[in-house]
mmCIF file with all atom_site columns, all heavy atoms in Angstrom:
data_model
loop_
_atom_site.group_PDB
_atom_site.id
_atom_site.type_symbol
_atom_site.label_atom_id
_atom_site.label_alt_id
_atom_site.label_comp_id
_atom_site.label_asym_id
_atom_site.label_entity_id
_atom_site.label_seq_id
_atom_site.pdbx_PDB_ins_code
_atom_site.Cartn_x
_atom_site.Cartn_y
_atom_site.Cartn_z
_atom_site.occupancy
_atom_site.B_iso_or_equiv
_atom_site.pdbx_formal_charge
_atom_site.auth_seq_id
_atom_site.auth_comp_id
_atom_site.auth_asym_id
_atom_site.auth_atom_id
_atom_site.pdbx_PDB_model_num
ATOM 1   N N   . ALA A 1 449 ? -13.988 9.117  11.156 1.00 86.00 ? 827 ALA A N   1
ATOM 2   C CA  . ALA A 1 449 ? -13.851 8.728  9.754  1.00 86.00 ? 827 ALA A CA  1
ATOM 3   C C   . ALA A 1 449 ? -15.034 9.349  9.019  1.00 86.00 ? 827 ALA A C   1
ATOM 4   O O   . ALA A 1 449 ? -16.182 8.977  9.264  1.00 86.00 ? 827 ALA A O   1
ATOM 5   C CB  . ALA A 1 449 ? -13.846 7.214  9.601  1.00 86.00 ? 827 ALA A CB  1
ATOM 6   N N   . VAL A 1 450 ? -14.763 10.333 8.153  1.00 86.00 ? 828 VAL A N   1
ATOM 7   C CA  . VAL A 1 450 ? -15.806 11.090 7.473  1.00 86.00 ? 828 VAL A CA  1
ATOM 8   C C   . VAL A 1 450 ? -16.006 10.518 6.074  1.00 86.00 ? 828 VAL A C   1
ATOM 9   O O   . VAL A 1 450 ? -15.074 10.492 5.264  1.00 86.00 ? 828 VAL A O   1
ATOM 10  C CB  . VAL A 1 450 ? -15.438 12.589 7.379  1.00 86.00 ? 828 VAL A CB  1
ATOM 11  C CG1 . VAL A 1 450 ? -16.573 13.376 6.729  1.00 86.00 ? 828 VAL A CG1 1
ATOM 12  C CG2 . VAL A 1 450 ? -15.119 13.133 8.767  1.00 86.00 ? 828 VAL A CG2 1
ATOM 13  N N   . ALA A 1 451 ? -17.241 10.057 5.772  1.00 88.00 ? 829 ALA A N   1
ATOM 14  C CA  . ALA A 1 451 ? -17.516 9.387  4.501  1.00 88.00 ? 829 ALA A CA  1
ATOM 15  C C   . ALA A 1 451 ? -18.413 10.238 3.610  1.00 88.00 ? 829 ALA A C   1
ATOM 16  O O   . ALA A 1 451 ? -19.371 10.847 4.073  1.00 88.00 ? 829 ALA A O   1
ATOM 17  C CB  . ALA A 1 451 ? -18.165 8.036  4.746  1.00 88.00 ? 829 ALA A CB  1
ATOM 18  N N   . VAL A 1 452 ? -18.070 10.253 2.324  1.00 88.00 ? 830 VAL A N   1
ATOM 19  C CA  . VAL A 1 452 ? -18.888 10.907 1.302  1.00 88.00 ? 830 VAL A CA  1
ATOM 20  C C   . VAL A 1 452 ? -18.974 9.945  0.123  1.00 88.00 ? 830 VAL A C   1
ATOM 21  O O   . VAL A 1 452 ? -17.945 9.538  -0.420 1.00 88.00 ? 830 VAL A O   1
ATOM 22  C CB  . VAL A 1 452 ? -18.298 12.255 0.850  1.00 88.00 ? 830 VAL A CB  1
ATOM 23  C CG1 . VAL A 1 452 ? -19.158 12.853 -0.263 1.00 88.00 ? 830 VAL A CG1 1
ATOM 24  C CG2 . VAL A 1 452 ? -18.193 13.214 2.021  1.00 88.00 ? 830 VAL A CG2 1
ATOM 25  N N   . ARG A 1 453 ? -20.217 9.615  -0.282 1.00 88.00 ? 831 ARG A N   1
ATOM 26  C CA  . ARG A 1 453 ? -20.387 8.681  -1.393 1.00 88.00 ? 831 ARG A CA  1
ATOM 27  C C   . ARG A 1 453 ? -20.605 9.434  -2.693 1.00 88.00 ? 831 ARG A C   1
ATOM 28  O O   . ARG A 1 453 ? -21.384 10.377 -2.769 1.00 88.00 ? 831 ARG A O   1
ATOM 29  C CB  . ARG A 1 453 ? -21.565 7.746  -1.125 1.00 88.00 ? 831 ARG A CB  1
ATOM 30  C CG  . ARG A 1 453 ? -21.783 6.721  -2.228 1.00 88.00 ? 831 ARG A CG  1
ATOM 31  C CD  . ARG A 1 453 ? -22.726 5.638  -1.807 1.00 88.00 ? 831 ARG A CD  1
ATOM 32  N NE  . ARG A 1 453 ? -23.065 4.752  -2.919 1.00 88.00 ? 831 ARG A NE  1
ATOM 33  C CZ  . ARG A 1 453 ? -23.792 3.665  -2.808 1.00 88.00 ? 831 ARG A CZ  1
ATOM 34  N NH1 . ARG A 1 453 ? -24.275 3.310  -1.626 1.00 88.00 ? 831 ARG A NH1 1
ATOM 35  N NH2 . ARG A 1 453 ? -24.058 2.909  -3.870 1.00 88.00 ? 831 ARG A NH2 1
ATOM 36  N N   . SER A 1 454 ? -19.897 8.986  -3.722 1.00 86.00 ? 832 SER A N   1
ATOM 37  C CA  . SER A 1 454 ? -20.045 9.563  -5.055 1.00 86.00 ? 832 SER A CA  1
ATOM 38  C C   . SER A 1 454 ? -20.260 8.418  -6.040 1.00 86.00 ? 832 SER A C   1
ATOM 39  O O   . SER A 1 454 ? -19.303 7.793  -6.507 1.00 86.00 ? 832 SER A O   1
ATOM 40  C CB  . SER A 1 454 ? -18.796 10.376 -5.440 1.00 86.00 ? 832 SER A CB  1
ATOM 41  O OG  . SER A 1 454 ? -18.913 10.881 -6.752 1.00 86.00 ? 832 SER A OG  1
ATOM 42  N N   . GLY A 1 455 ? -21.541 8.157  -6.334 1.00 85.00 ? 833 GLY A N   1
ATOM 43  C CA  . GLY A 1 455 ? -21.855 7.042  -7.211 1.00 85.00 ? 833 GLY A CA  1
ATOM 44  C C   . GLY A 1 455 ? -21.484 5.724  -6.563 1.00 85.00 ? 833 GLY A C   1
ATOM 45  O O   . GLY A 1 455 ? -21.924 5.398  -5.461 1.00 85.00 ? 833 GLY A O   1
ATOM 46  N N   . SER A 1 456 ? -20.638 4.963  -7.227 1.00 86.00 ? 834 SER A N   1
ATOM 47  C CA  . SER A 1 456 ? -20.221 3.661  -6.699 1.00 86.00 ? 834 SER A CA  1
ATOM 48  C C   . SER A 1 456 ? -18.938 3.743  -5.875 1.00 86.00 ? 834 SER A C   1
ATOM 49  O O   . SER A 1 456 ? -18.402 2.715  -5.462 1.00 86.00 ? 834 SER A O   1
ATOM 50  C CB  . SER A 1 456 ? -20.011 2.676  -7.853 1.00 86.00 ? 834 SER A CB  1
ATOM 51  O OG  . SER A 1 456 ? -18.973 3.129  -8.703 1.00 86.00 ? 834 SER A OG  1
ATOM 52  N N   . VAL A 1 457 ? -18.457 4.981  -5.647 1.00 90.00 ? 835 VAL A N   1
ATOM 53  C CA  . VAL A 1 457 ? -17.211 5.171  -4.895 1.00 90.00 ? 835 VAL A CA  1
ATOM 54  C C   . VAL A 1 457 ? -17.530 5.778  -3.537 1.00 90.00 ? 835 VAL A C   1
ATOM 55  O O   . VAL A 1 457 ? -18.259 6.778  -3.444 1.00 90.00 ? 835 VAL A O   1
ATOM 56  C CB  . VAL A 1 457 ? -16.231 6.086  -5.656 1.00 90.00 ? 835 VAL A CB  1
ATOM 57  C CG1 . VAL A 1 457 ? -14.956 6.300  -4.830 1.00 90.00 ? 835 VAL A CG1 1
ATOM 58  C CG2 . VAL A 1 457 ? -15.887 5.485  -7.010 1.00 90.00 ? 835 VAL A CG2 1
ATOM 59  N N   . LEU A 1 458 ? -17.010 5.165  -2.478 1.00 90.00 ? 836 LEU A N   1
ATOM 60  C CA  . LEU A 1 458 ? -17.153 5.697  -1.125 1.00 90.00 ? 836 LEU A CA  1
ATOM 61  C C   . LEU A 1 458 ? -15.821 6.308  -0.702 1.00 90.00 ? 836 LEU A C   1
ATOM 62  O O   . LEU A 1 458 ? -14.819 5.608  -0.558 1.00 90.00 ? 836 LEU A O   1
ATOM 63  C CB  . LEU A 1 458 ? -17.547 4.587  -0.156 1.00 90.00 ? 836 LEU A CB  1
ATOM 64  C CG  . LEU A 1 458 ? -17.773 5.026  1.302  1.00 90.00 ? 836 LEU A CG  1
ATOM 65  C CD1 . LEU A 1 458 ? -19.001 5.919  1.411  1.00 90.00 ? 836 LEU A CD1 1
ATOM 66  C CD2 . LEU A 1 458 ? -17.916 3.819  2.222  1.00 90.00 ? 836 LEU A CD2 1
ATOM 67  N N   . ASN A 1 459 ? -15.809 7.637  -0.537 1.00 92.00 ? 837 ASN A N   1
ATOM 68  C CA  . ASN A 1 459 ? -14.601 8.341  -0.106 1.00 92.00 ? 837 ASN A CA  1
ATOM 69  C C   . ASN A 1 459 ? -14.652 8.522  1.400  1.00 92.00 ? 837 ASN A C   1
ATOM 70  O O   . ASN A 1 459 ? -15.596 9.128  1.935  1.00 92.00 ? 837 ASN A O   1
ATOM 71  C CB  . ASN A 1 459 ? -14.497 9.700  -0.785 1.00 92.00 ? 837 ASN A CB  1
ATOM 72  C CG  . ASN A 1 459 ? -14.286 9.576  -2.285 1.00 92.00 ? 837 ASN A CG  1
ATOM 73  O OD1 . ASN A 1 459 ? -13.179 9.295  -2.745 1.00 92.00 ? 837 ASN A OD1 1
ATOM 74  N ND2 . ASN A 1 459 ? -15.359 9.779  -3.055 1.00 92.00 ? 837 ASN A ND2 1
ATOM 75  N N   . VAL A 1 460 ? -13.649 8.008  2.102  1.00 92.00 ? 838 VAL A N   1
ATOM 76  C CA  . VAL A 1 460 ? -13.591 8.096  3.559  1.00 92.00 ? 838 VAL A CA  1
ATOM 77  C C   . VAL A 1 460 ? -12.325 8.848  3.949  1.00 92.00 ? 838 VAL A C   1
ATOM 78  O O   . VAL A 1 460 ? -11.209 8.406  3.651  1.00 92.00 ? 838 VAL A O   1
ATOM 79  C CB  . VAL A 1 460 ? -13.586 6.703  4.218  1.00 92.00 ? 838 VAL A CB  1
ATOM 80  C CG1 . VAL A 1 460 ? -13.668 6.839  5.734  1.00 92.00 ? 838 VAL A CG1 1
ATOM 81  C CG2 . VAL A 1 460 ? -14.731 5.846  3.707  1.00 92.00 ? 838 VAL A CG2 1
ATOM 82  N N   . ARG A 1 461 ? -12.508 10.001 4.618  1.00 91.00 ? 839 ARG A N   1
ATOM 83  C CA  . ARG A 1 461 ? -11.357 10.808 5.034  1.00 91.00 ? 839 ARG A CA  1
ATOM 84  C C   . ARG A 1 461 ? -11.087 10.560 6.513  1.00 91.00 ? 839 ARG A C   1
ATOM 85  O O   . ARG A 1 461 ? -12.002 10.590 7.339  1.00 91.00 ? 839 ARG A O   1
ATOM 86  C CB  . ARG A 1 461 ? -11.642 12.287 4.793  1.00 91.00 ? 839 ARG A CB  1
ATOM 87  C CG  . ARG A 1 461 ? -10.453 13.209 5.103  1.00 91.00 ? 839 ARG A CG  1
ATOM 88  C CD  . ARG A 1 461 ? -10.771 14.644 4.695  1.00 91.00 ? 839 ARG A CD  1
ATOM 89  N NE  . ARG A 1 461 ? -11.907 15.168 5.441  1.00 91.00 ? 839 ARG A NE  1
ATOM 90  C CZ  . ARG A 1 461 ? -11.785 15.798 6.622  1.00 91.00 ? 839 ARG A CZ  1
ATOM 91  N NH1 . ARG A 1 461 ? -10.594 15.952 7.183  1.00 91.00 ? 839 ARG A NH1 1
ATOM 92  N NH2 . ARG A 1 461 ? -12.865 16.253 7.234  1.00 91.00 ? 839 ARG A NH2 1
ATOM 93  N N   . VAL A 1 462 ? -9.826  10.296 6.826  1.00 91.00 ? 840 VAL A N   1
ATOM 94  C CA  . VAL A 1 462 ? -9.404  10.102 8.217  1.00 91.00 ? 840 VAL A CA  1
ATOM 95  C C   . VAL A 1 462 ? -8.567  11.309 8.617  1.00 91.00 ? 840 VAL A C   1
ATOM 96  O O   . VAL A 1 462 ? -7.396  11.418 8.232  1.00 91.00 ? 840 VAL A O   1
ATOM 97  C CB  . VAL A 1 462 ? -8.592  8.803  8.384  1.00 91.00 ? 840 VAL A CB  1
ATOM 98  C CG1 . VAL A 1 462 ? -8.225  8.595  9.854  1.00 91.00 ? 840 VAL A CG1 1
ATOM 99  C CG2 . VAL A 1 462 ? -9.372  7.607  7.868  1.00 91.00 ? 840 VAL A CG2 1
ATOM 100 N N   . PRO A 1 463 ? -9.131  12.255 9.366  1.00 87.00 ? 841 PRO A N   1
ATOM 101 C CA  . PRO A 1 463 ? -8.393  13.460 9.738  1.00 87.00 ? 841 PRO A CA  1
ATOM 102 C C   . PRO A 1 463 ? -7.467  13.223 10.933 1.00 87.00 ? 841 PRO A C   1
ATOM 103 O O   . PRO A 1 463 ? -7.494  12.153 11.557 1.00 87.00 ? 841 PRO A O   1
ATOM 104 C CB  . PRO A 1 463 ? -9.509  14.435 10.112 1.00 87.00 ? 841 PRO A CB  1
ATOM 105 C CG  . PRO A 1 463 ? -10.592 13.548 10.639 1.00 87.00 ? 841 PRO A CG  1
ATOM 106 C CD  . PRO A 1 463 ? -10.508 12.264 9.860  1.00 87.00 ? 841 PRO A CD  1
ATOM 107 N N   . ALA A 1 464 ? -6.678  14.212 11.252 1.00 85.00 ? 842 ALA A N   1
ATOM 108 C CA  . ALA A 1 464 ? -5.786  14.212 12.424 1.00 85.00 ? 842 ALA A CA  1
ATOM 109 C C   . ALA A 1 464 ? -4.712  13.137 12.331 1.00 85.00 ? 842 ALA A C   1
ATOM 110 O O   . ALA A 1 464 ? -3.540  13.427 12.076 1.00 85.00 ? 842 ALA A O   1
ATOM 111 C CB  . ALA A 1 464 ? -6.572  14.071 13.724 1.00 85.00 ? 842 ALA A CB  1
ATOM 112 N N   . ALA A 1 465 ? -5.072  11.870 12.535 1.00 91.00 ? 843 ALA A N   1
ATOM 113 C CA  . ALA A 1 465 ? -4.086  10.786 12.475 1.00 91.00 ? 843 ALA A CA  1
ATOM 114 C C   . ALA A 1 465 ? -4.796  9.468  12.198 1.00 91.00 ? 843 ALA A C   1
ATOM 115 O O   . ALA A 1 465 ? -5.858  9.194  12.758 1.00 91.00 ? 843 ALA A O   1
ATOM 116 C CB  . ALA A 1 465 ? -3.299  10.694 13.774 1.00 91.00 ? 843 ALA A CB  1
ATOM 117 N N   . ALA A 1 466 ? -4.207  8.679  11.315 1.00 92.00 ? 844 ALA A N   1
ATOM 118 C CA  . ALA A 1 466 ? -4.745  7.351  11.013 1.00 92.00 ? 844 ALA A CA  1
ATOM 119 C C   . ALA A 1 466 ? -4.016  6.343  11.885 1.00 92.00 ? 844 ALA A C   1
ATOM 120 O O   . ALA A 1 466 ? -3.060  5.693  11.459 1.00 92.00 ? 844 ALA A O   1
ATOM 121 C CB  . ALA A 1 466 ? -4.579  7.027  9.537  1.00 92.00 ? 844 ALA A CB  1
#
Side-chain angles (χ1 to χ4, degrees):
V828 183
V830 177
R831 181 167 173 175
S832 177
S834 62
V835 178
L836 182 67
N837 294 282
V838 186
R839 184 174 62 89
V840 183

